Amino acid sequence: MGRKAGITLESVVEAATAIADRDGLDAATLTAVADELGIKTPSLYNHLEGLSGLRRLLAIHGSQLLLKTFEEAIGDLEGTEALRSIAQADRQFAREHRGLYDSFLPAPKPDEDTELYEAMAEPVFLVAHVLLDMGIPQSEAIHLIRALRALLHGFLDLEAREGFGMPVGIDASFDVAVELIIGGIEAAAASSR
């Protein structure tokens, strides 16, 4: 049985992305994607290797979109302004692409899947470039990136799960959290000079 006309790997990823972002990553099953495309589930095996292959493709696609989002957010900005813009862009990405955002975990190891690892590393390298331009030594950059990511991911996960119940503006809290981590990064940059 041949492939249905118009069904490509790109259309499979687009359908899976739409489902994951609308209904959550776990809803992006092979059956749901096939239904979305109007094909039988076994036909997807012409394009990918099962559910793990689909999740891998979502993580690659999500990483490419996140990189583009960060590049657009940074524009000509540098230093702390670039970091603030990245933080806001990450938050917006997590809101618009919750399923893709969730596909970033667990993080692959370099020797497990080189293509996936490299795709997921690209947004990290962009942040590292900002830090290096601020004078942060390369040996310290990964620690600061992990701290920034942990802060953002924790905040965004709590926000998505409605973990902030007090009647206080969440946007202001996000800005305070970002300023705290940026202050730490600025201090690290100053001590490196």
Side-chain angles (χ1 to χ4, degrees), residues 14-110:
E14 286 175 12
T17 297
I19 294 166
D21 286 346
R22 181 185 65 230
D23 303 324
L25 182 61
D26 289 340
T29 63
L30 296 177
T31 301
V33 172
D35 289 348
E36 183 91 4
L37 294 169
I39 61 174
K40 294 184 185 292
T41 303
S43 298
L44 287 174
Y45 288 93
N46 292 323
H47 302 282
L48 49 90
E49 295 180 22
L51 184 59
S52 63
L54 180 62
R55 295 283 167 86
R56 177 183 179 274
L57 292 173
L58 284 173
I60 290 172
H61 177 63
S63 297
Q64 292 166 343
L65 282 179
L66 184 62
L67 175 63
K68 183 178 177 188
T69 299
F70 283 1
E71 288 171 339
E72 290 172 357
I74 290 174
D76 294 331
L77 299 175
E78 296 177 345
T80 57
E81 289 305 311
L83 292 175
R84 284 183 186 93
S85 191
I86 286 169
Q88 292 294 337
D90 194 46
R91 186 179 187 205
Q92 192 61 37
F93 183 91
R95 287 174 164 177
E96 293 174 6
H97 298 289
R98 189 64 204 179
L100 289 181
Y101 191 82
D102 287 343
S103 76
F104 298 152
L105 295 175
K109 306 242 182 312

